Amino acid sequence: MGDASVIIDLAGRLENPGESISRTGTLEARSYTVGDKELGVPAGISYDVVLTNAGDGILVTGLVRAHAEGTCDRCLDLARVEIAGEIEEYYLFQAPEDTEEAEDIDYELLPEDRVIDLAAPIMDAVVMDTPFVVLCRPDCQGLCPTCGANLNRETCDCAEKAERARVESDENPFAALKNLKLDD
Ligand SMILES: [Zn+2]
Ligand SMILES: [Zn+2]
């Protein structure tokens, strides 16, 4: 992700409850990881957010979008994923006094200088919207486990051969032995 950031300086802004500002732009990330998968986002991640003074903090809501590219989980070809995720982040002015209650809310504290970086919540929203299984197309046929043929583009007779061998060995229990090489 490098030093891609979305810095928003709220010094002297959003000081009264109900006030809001909106921001749109692109986070210049080039790739991100989900579990052990890496996905590229060559055009970056676009965001469209509204920041509102919600009384006890700044609420950030909005949408993130990206054209992500990864590797198909079945056939290893290029897979494209359209990301359209929702962002929601709460920057409290003060930590809640009731610590038990605080454990139940997902929040950050608004820094003293009121400067926040939305890069992390934007990335979180993208990760949340990335499907667990990434496919080049919904009906991807995958690779043949025996010969490795890409079954989207070609056919192989491995399944047929295996079935024939199975039937033959059922009919003749010694058929499987004929290919065995014995040491003398
Ligand atoms: Zn595929
Ligand atoms: Zn095959």
Side-chain angles (χ1 to χ4, degrees), residues 2-24:
D3 53 3
S5 55
V6 178
I7 303 294
I8 298 182
D9 186 350
L10 295 173
R13 320 190 63 165
L14 299 184
E15 292 190 327
N16 303 304
E19 284 181 345
S20 67
I21 56 171
S22 57
R23 286 284 181 277
T24 59

Side-chain angles (χ1 to χ4, degrees), residues 6 8 25 28-29 33-34 38-39 46 59-60 72 74 86 107 123 131 138 144 169:
V6 178
I8 298 182
E28 300 295 340
T33 53
V34 183
E38 180 165 19
L39 290 99
S46 66
L59 181 63
V60 181
C72 175
R74 283 189 201 146
E86 281 181 33
Y107 70 93
M123 292 311 301
C144 169
S169 69

Side-chain angles (χ1 to χ4, degrees), residues 16-68:
N16 303 304
E19 284 181 345
S20 67
I21 56 171
S22 57
R23 286 284 181 277
T24 59
T26 303
L27 172 60
E28 300 295 340
R30 284 294 164 258
S31 67
Y32 65 100
T33 53
V34 183
D36 55 3
K37 267 199 262 287
E38 180 165 19
L39 290 99
V41 276
I45 297 160
S46 66
Y47 58 87
D48 184 352
V49 295
V50 176
L51 297 88
T52 305
N53 181 327
D56 46 12
I58 303 292
L59 181 63
V60 181
T61 55
L63 293 173
V64 299
R65 287 178 191 281
H67 306 288

Side-chain angles (χ1 to χ4, degrees), residues 144-149 151 156-159:
C144 169
T146 307
C147 73
L151 300 176
C156 65
D157 55 4
C158 294

Side-chain angles (χ1 to χ4, degrees), residues 161-178:
K161 268 194 216 153
E163 175 62 13
R164 213 182 306 136
R166 195 186 61 77
V167 169
E168 272 172 21
S169 69
D170 280 355
E171 284 167 356
N172 177 0
F174 301 106
L177 293 177
K178 77 183 179 212

